Amino acid sequence: MAERAALEELVRLQGEHVRGLKQQKASAEQIEEEVAKLLKLKAQLGPDEGKQKFVLKTPKGTRDYSPRQMAVREKVFDVIISCFKRHGAEVIDTPVFELKETLTGKYGEDSKLIYDLKDQGGELLSLRYDLTVPFARYLAMNKLTNIKRYHIAKDFDIAGQFDPMIPDAECLKIICELLSSLQIGDFLVKVNDRRILDGMFAVCGVPDSKFRTICSSVDKLDKVSWEEVKNEMVEEKGLAPEVADRIGDYVQQHGGVSLVEQLLQDPKLSQSKQALEGLGDLNLLFEYLTLFGIADKISFDLSLARGLDYYTGVIYEAVLLQTPVQPGEETLGVGSVAAGGRYDGLVGMFDPKGRKVPCVGLSIGVERIFSIVEQRLEALEEKVRTTETQVLVASAQKKLLEERLKLIAELWDAGIKAELLYKKNPKLLNQLQYCEEAGIPLVAIIGEQELKDGVIKLRSVASREEVDVRREDLVEEIKRRTSQPLLN
């Protein structure tokens, strides 16, 4: 490498020397002599001179999606979007980047994960980090005070002044509906309230200035032990050990409505007005969750902190559960697949008059869900169709391309999803094999006899059964046979 670098430097210097001679209008013989030296050096360098190796890859943290993977994505998106629509949501979209000042100061310690873009046209821009802050900006900019929306099949939010906990309960119901429909395994939804956390920190002796940073530490309890979290609080964030111990007494508790009732009577926590408000709302929330039939899927978990700065009330996170290996072992959470909460102050940060619009919402971890569904399909060796083609237009003899083109045009115009092979005289066996590989359920076969009789031979690829269908009845017969969902 060092020898090559030295040779590259000689080539560069010799090139500059030749250019200098030309500018000085040196004699042709002298220039020719130096050019020859330059060419000799380049020959020694080899064909890669001056070229950097180009590695074909996607940027870090991104990926391509194959047709099979996209079929899985679309299936997941369909389930999510149909659920959002079932609950009366409208759809909006916002730009993939925002003014940097729009995003600054909204995410706490997660702010370091925001990607800044190069200055364009005098504006400092950043890629959006989530869909919640852009939604709040959208509400303030359009002076909206009431909307139920979804965004890119990932986020669902309810904005507006409503009676306590009714919208919050609906968001939790949506999470449970979605995860049940997607059939990705047993799950549990953890809930807490930012006011309970802040009240707990206050009565435990955490200085006001450290609330958010300590909150961020607590939020790691689903990934690391309490001892590691305590060490971070004390050693890295300067919290007194006895204060950390008092926090530990609370954040290691979880349960149902009985834990809410127990904490309402807690001598220390009941001294905090904030905590009492949060506990009162959680009590009401559990009433509504029971009516929705999902209380058994919800756990009040004091370790849930959700590190984003904009949350003001109820917060929640859905985790998939790992079945215990041994009897008596505790069920473990193996990863978050949805999360959200109430953020009543975020819109007011953007409104010129500081008018607040109460909001509550949820975000679905679609990338993690895609991976889980893909793994499940691979484990089951389940075939995934990557097209929705209903029928292949085929011919049994040669010189029938014109007839195939006429028929497929009729099918397309009638809204039938159809294909043909791009060959003048394809073999029937090749056409049938293509259907097998692509999962196309039907073949419409044209032959000379069929043309004389005014029929089309319709073949089921799965059963290999063939029936003659009058040409004018073909569209309805294909629709009847393919009315079932094409993706299992």
Side-chain angles (χ1 to χ4, degrees):
M1 286 295 290
E3 288 177 11
R4 181 173 180 83
L7 198 53
E8 286 173 346
E9 180 64 12
L10 283 174
V11 168
R12 186 186 68 79
L13 292 172
Q14 184 64 15
E16 288 180 0
H17 179 53
V18 169
R19 284 191 292 275
L21 289 173
K22 288 179 179 178
Q23 288 169 0
Q24 295 164 19
K25 296 185 179 177
S27 68
E29 292 163 356
Q30 188 179 0
I31 292 173
E32 190 177 324
E33 185 182 337
E34 295 304 320
V35 167
K37 289 181 183 176
L38 177 60
L39 293 174
K40 190 176 179 181
L41 286 169
K42 284 186 174 181
Q44 287 179 265
L45 198 54
D48 291 328
E49 180 269 319
K51 290 185 181 176
Q52 290 183 339
K53 286 191 177 178
F54 180 65
V55 179
L56 277 174
K57 68 182 202 66
T58 59
K60 189 176 180 181
T62 66
R63 60 180 285 196
D64 291 322
Y65 291 92
S66 68
R68 186 179 189 277
Q69 290 166 331
M70 282 305 300
V72 173
R73 281 173 74 92
E74 285 187 359
K75 184 181 178 184
V76 171
F77 276 144
D78 285 347
V79 171
I80 295 171
I81 290 171
S82 64
C83 180
F84 289 167
K85 286 182 175 179
R86 187 163 64 245
H87 286 262
E90 303 171 281
V91 62
I92 70 163
D93 200 3
T94 59
V96 295
F97 50 83
E98 295 275 350
L99 294 175
K100 185 175 181 179
E101 62 190 272
T102 299
L103 306 180
T104 303
K106 311 300 189 303
Y107 299 106
E109 292 191 1
D110 281 2
S111 291
K112 61 181 177 287
L113 301 177
I114 295 173
Y115 284 91
D116 292 335
L117 300 176
K118 193 173 180 180
D119 181 18
Q120 298 287 335
E123 292 184 326
L124 294 175
L125 307 173
S126 298
L127 288 178
R128 65 185 179 203
Y129 176 68
D130 67 359
L131 298 172
T132 306
V133 171
F135 174 57
R137 189 265 307 150
Y138 174 88
L139 291 177
M141 203 169 96
N142 292 282
K143 297 181 171 57
L144 297 174
T145 57
N146 192 312
I147 188 174
K148 186 189 289 187
R149 68 98 205 201
Y150 73 89
H151 197 168
I152 323 182
K154 292 181 182 179
D155 276 35
F156 175 98
D157 294 85
I158 301 171
Q161 189 75 52
F162 304 108
D163 287 341
M165 295 298 105
I166 302 174
D168 310 63
E170 184 173 7
C171 285
L172 289 164
K173 172 67 172 162
I174 287 169
I175 290 175
C176 291
E177 282 181 21
L178 280 174
L179 296 181
S180 297
S181 298
L182 290 167
Q183 299 178 338
I184 54 175
D186 289 336
F187 63 90
L188 183 72
V189 186
K190 302 176 184 180
V191 300
N192 200 359
D193 193 295
R194 208 59 179 264
R195 293 165 296 177
I196 297 172
L197 279 168
D198 287 351
M200 176 187 70
F201 291 151
V203 300
C204 287
V206 178
D208 290 357
S209 61
K210 290 187 183 291
F211 274 23
R212 288 295 166 257
T213 188
I214 296 303
C215 191
S216 177
S217 296
V218 170
D219 200 36
K220 297 174 183 175
L221 272 172
D222 62 332
K223 300 179 185 73
V224 300
S225 68
W226 163 246
E227 287 307 315
E228 290 173 90
V229 169
K230 178 185 173 183
N231 186 65
E232 180 182 294
M233 289 178 175
V234 175
E235 300 299 327
E236 296 178 28
K237 299 186 175 179
L239 196 66
E242 62 274 14
V243 174
D245 287 336
R246 287 197 285 269
I247 292 171
D249 291 340
Y250 285 109
V251 297
Q252 295 179 82
Q253 296 185 60
H254 53 86
V257 69
S258 59
L259 179 58
V260 178
E261 292 165 352
Q262 176 189 321
L263 290 174
L264 279 166
Q265 307 302 319
D266 185 89
K268 283 192 291 185
L269 208 54
S270 59
Q271 295 171 23
S272 167
K273 184 183 175 184
Q274 262 189 314
L276 287 176
E277 286 176 358
L279 289 164
D281 276 352
L282 277 191
N283 217 4
L284 182 60
L285 178 66
F286 269 99
E287 283 184 37
Y288 297 151
L289 298 178
T290 301
L291 294 171
F292 280 152
I294 57 170
D296 61 324
K297 290 289 187 183
I298 313 296
S299 170
F300 173 31
D301 192 323
L302 281 157
S303 72
L304 180 65
R306 302 286 295 139
L308 301 178
D309 274 5
Y310 51 66
Y311 287 120
T312 56
V314 169
I315 50 178
Y316 33 83
E317 181 174 76
V319 294
L320 294 183
L321 298 175
Q322 180 176 288
T323 307
V325 178
Q326 299 292 335
E329 282 186 348
E330 191 171 334
T331 304
L332 300 174
V334 293
S336 172
V337 288
R342 177 160 287 280
Y343 52 102
D344 289 348
L346 190 55
V347 178
M349 292 183 184
F350 299 114
D351 189 278
K353 295 182 180 177
R355 286 172 294 206
K356 292 185 177 181
V357 177
C359 297
V360 64
L362 62 98
S363 182
I364 305 298
V366 288
E367 297 301 332
R368 182 166 179 80
I369 289 171
F370 293 149
S371 297
I372 293 165
V373 174
E374 280 177 352
Q375 288 168 12
R376 189 192 69 194
L377 292 173
E378 284 172 10
L380 296 172
E381 296 183 352
E382 191 171 324
K383 187 175 176 65
V384 176
R385 282 198 61 190
T386 57
T387 72
E388 295 185 5
T389 305
Q390 295 164 279
V391 62
L392 182 84
V393 174
S395 56
Q397 290 111 18
K398 293 181 178 181
K399 298 182 181 178
L400 290 173
L401 176 61
E402 288 184 8
E403 296 299 332
R404 283 194 293 140
L405 293 176
K406 278 190 223 171
L407 179 58
I408 200 167
E410 289 174 25
L411 296 177
W412 285 336
D413 291 344
I416 298 294
K417 296 165 184 170
E419 288 186 63
L420 53 72
L421 295 194
Y422 304 128
K423 282 183 171 288
K424 283 187 176 181
N425 300 307
K427 293 179 180 177
L428 182 58
L429 183 62
N430 291 347
Q431 295 171 89
L432 296 177
Q433 193 171 356
Y434 177 76
C435 291
E436 293 271 4
E437 292 168 356
I440 299 171
L442 297 172
V443 192
I445 303 172
I446 302 173
E448 291 173 1
Q449 189 61 48
E450 284 79 13
L451 288 171
K452 286 178 187 174
D453 297 343
V455 299
I456 302 294
K457 195 176 291 295
L458 194 61
R459 177 186 173 106
S460 165
V461 175
S463 68
R464 302 185 179 182
E465 177 193 356
E466 295 181 348
V467 292
D468 286 343
V469 179
R470 295 195 61 79
R471 189 162 182 144
E472 58 268 29
D473 298 332
L474 182 62
V475 168
E476 286 308 313
E477 182 63 17
I478 291 170
K479 285 180 178 177
R480 185 184 70 78
R481 291 188 179 216
T482 59
S483 58
Q484 294 82 14
L486 294 172
L487 282 172
N488 292 325

